[in-house]
Amino acid sequence: FFFYSSVSHRFIAKPCALGLKVQANGPQKAQPNAILEKVFTAITKHPDEKRLEGLSKQLDWDVRSIQRWFRQRRNQEKPSTLTKFCESMWRFTFYLYVFTYGVRFLKKTPWLWNTRQCWNGYPYQPLLPDLHYYYIVELSFYWSLMFSQFIDIKRKDFGIMFTHHIVTITLITFSYVTNLTRVGTLTLCLHDAADVVLEAAKMANYCKCQKLSDLLFLTFAIVFIVSRLGIYPLWILNTTLFELYEALGNFPALWVFNVLLVILQILHCFWSYLIIKAAYKAISKGKVAKDDRSDIESSSDEEETVPRSKTLHSTVTTNGTSGANGTNGYLTGGTCSEEH
């Protein structure tokens, strides 16, 4: 997948992005300053109140200017819009391919419309070549996502996404080992449906097609909520919690499998809350609101909340090492949800 990503970026996504006039420039660069650069590279990227005061006296700068410099310096290392477009495009092509493959495969199976068929003959169910390929491709993709999280920019929901990837990889592996693959294919296909629309919305946003981006985001919100809060519990959890127990009785793998699926549902509820919140802002303001998971720090929020006096700058901590709304040191900013 890393090879596919590189090839896609260079030969497919980048030419498309340039053709759509996606900006290749990154965030505004901070002005050169040897002292601040030394602190940034050798000590901390998020100076606390005491260090900010010291730097303010040393450089004869006000605290807000120093905070702005550190924010710009952090943003300077963030990917450009072109890079983010290319990343979204290769994910979009993968999700579209694997979702289409999953639908074509499941249309031929008896358990698509009758979930009780997932347990007929278990555990002596043959592993079909198409099913094996589907599993290997999905597992490889989620492994690549988990490792790339440490290379890519850390967003505010890094911990949640890391938990999601761990649970997903464990679920795929566990269901494969215990031959619970039939219900596994239903779960995989259901989850890929919303991701296709999300990546399309992000690409439209990077191309500055605001109306299309808003429409796709609202479509994503509907698909996500219907599939994750409606179909998933009524279709997947119903068959694993009740139909599986009725067909095969109690056994240890059943409880492990269901615990992982319930954890996934809890994550669905958390993301649905964020999506509903963003969708409400989109409807009320006429456009998609700023995303809480943005990878570029905002300057407007800070400048509104930071008083002009440099001695009272401690009211804003999201540029420092704490702050409920600034996990990983990032303020709210950007548009369109970055990743479910």
Side-chain angles (χ1 to χ4, degrees), residues 176-321:
Y176 185 85
V177 171
T178 57
N179 207 26
L180 295 166
T181 52
R182 291 187 177 184
V183 73
T185 57
L186 297 177
T187 307
L188 290 171
C189 190
L190 181 66
H191 280 72
D192 290 332
D195 295 332
V196 177
V197 187
L198 173 61
E199 297 302 333
K202 289 161 63 177
M203 287 192 295
N205 179 58
Y206 298 143
C207 293
K208 298 187 183 299
C209 300
Q210 191 62 51
K211 290 184 179 180
L212 178 60
S213 176
D214 293 349
L215 177 62
L216 288 171
F217 177 76
L218 293 176
T219 303
F220 159 73
I222 294 170
V223 173
F224 186 95
I225 292 169
V226 169
S227 61
R228 309 292 177 92
L229 298 188
I231 299 175
Y232 179 79
L234 295 176
W235 194 36
I236 304 297
L237 291 182
N238 177 66
T239 191
T240 58
L241 287 171
F242 304 108
E243 293 178 353
L244 174 57
Y245 184 80
E246 291 173 7
L248 303 173
N250 189 15
F251 59 101
L254 180 151
W255 297 106
V256 176
F257 192 54
N258 278 311
V259 165
L260 293 171
L261 290 173
V262 169
I263 292 174
L264 205 57
Q265 178 63 12
I266 293 171
L267 295 176
H268 293 164
C269 294
F270 171 76
W271 280 315
S272 294
Y273 163 74
L274 296 180
I275 291 168
I276 292 171
K277 191 166 122 179
Y280 173 77
K281 290 180 180 178
I283 295 171
S284 61
K285 295 183 179 180
K287 63 179 181 178
V288 174
K290 292 182 178 180
D291 173 29
D292 288 334
R293 300 188 56 250
S294 174
D295 52 3
I296 298 296
E297 298 180 46
S298 169
S299 59
S300 59
D301 292 343
E302 180 185 269
E303 291 181 4
E304 288 176 2
T305 54
V306 177
R308 294 188 179 276
S309 172
K310 67 180 181 180
T311 59
L312 297 177
H313 67 277
S314 59
T315 55
V316 173
T317 58
T318 48
N319 251 2
T321 56

Side-chain angles (χ1 to χ4, degrees), residues 46-54 63 311-315 320:
H46 303 276
D48 56 19
E49 179 181 350
K50 185 177 180 181
R51 192 175 299 279
L52 287 170
E53 290 284 1
V63 168
T311 59
L312 297 177
H313 67 277
S314 59
T315 55

Side-chain angles (χ1 to χ4, degrees), residues 33-47 55 69-78:
N33 187 291
I35 295 175
L36 295 180
E37 185 67 27
K38 184 177 180 180
V39 173
F40 183 88
T41 55
I43 302 176
T44 179
K45 297 181 180 180
H46 303 276
L55 290 171
W69 188 94
F70 273 92
R71 183 181 62 254
Q72 291 176 345
R73 183 64 181 83
R74 288 192 294 269
N75 286 340
Q76 192 174 310
E77 300 182 341
K78 307 299 188 293

Side-chain angles (χ1 to χ4, degrees), residues 4-224:
Y4 164 66
S5 174
S6 301
V7 172
S8 175
H9 275 219
R10 178 170 297 185
F11 299 107
I12 302 174
K14 190 172 182 180
C16 290
L18 295 176
L20 293 169
K21 298 181 180 180
V22 176
Q23 294 181 357
N25 57 308
Q28 180 182 357
K29 292 186 177 181
Q31 66 182 84
N33 187 291
I35 295 175
L36 295 180
E37 185 67 27
K38 184 177 180 180
V39 173
F40 183 88
T41 55
I43 302 176
T44 179
K45 297 181 180 180
H46 303 276
D48 56 19
E49 179 181 350
K50 185 177 180 181
R51 192 175 299 279
L52 287 170
E53 290 284 1
L55 290 171
S56 176
K57 294 177 181 177
Q58 186 177 357
L59 297 172
D60 196 25
W61 287 18
D62 61 79
V63 168
R64 187 166 59 176
S65 297
I66 297 174
Q67 286 179 320
R68 185 182 299 111
W69 188 94
F70 273 92
R71 183 181 62 254
Q72 291 176 345
R73 183 64 181 83
R74 288 192 294 269
N75 286 340
Q76 192 174 310
E77 300 182 341
K78 307 299 188 293
S80 65
T81 303
L82 177 64
T83 302
K84 292 188 287 185
F85 177 91
C86 293
E87 178 183 303
S88 288
M89 187 168 184
W90 89 259
R91 289 193 183 190
F92 170 78
T93 55
F94 171 80
Y95 283 129
L96 183 62
Y97 164 74
V98 79
F99 176 69
T100 304
Y101 181 90
V103 170
R104 291 181 61 189
F105 167 72
L106 287 171
K107 279 199 310 183
K108 301 179 291 185
T109 63
W111 61 85
L112 174 62
W113 304 111
N114 183 8
T115 53
R116 290 184 182 275
Q117 291 290 327
C118 290
W119 321 118
N120 283 354
Y122 182 84
Y124 305 106
Q125 297 170 341
L127 182 63
L128 303 174
D130 290 345
L131 191 153
H132 174 74
Y133 171 78
Y134 190 25
Y135 253 71
I136 294 302
V137 169
E138 289 276 16
L139 182 61
S140 302
F141 177 70
Y142 279 105
W143 270 113
S144 71
L145 286 185
M146 191 180 73
F147 285 122
S148 64
Q149 259 202 308
F150 296 95
I151 301 172
D152 298 338
I153 174 177
K154 287 187 178 180
R155 295 189 174 97
K156 288 164 63 173
D157 65 347
F158 174 86
I160 298 292
M161 286 306 300
F162 183 74
T163 303
H164 171 265
H165 296 331
I166 290 292
V167 171
T168 303
I169 290 170
T170 306
L171 263 171
I172 295 174
T173 305
F174 184 80
S175 63
Y176 185 85
V177 171
T178 57
N179 207 26
L180 295 166
T181 52
R182 291 187 177 184
V183 73
T185 57
L186 297 177
T187 307
L188 290 171
C189 190
L190 181 66
H191 280 72
D192 290 332
D195 295 332
V196 177
V197 187
L198 173 61
E199 297 302 333
K202 289 161 63 177
M203 287 192 295
N205 179 58
Y206 298 143
C207 293
K208 298 187 183 299
C209 300
Q210 191 62 51
K211 290 184 179 180
L212 178 60
S213 176
D214 293 349
L215 177 62
L216 288 171
F217 177 76
L218 293 176
T219 303
F220 159 73
I222 294 170
V223 173
F224 186 95

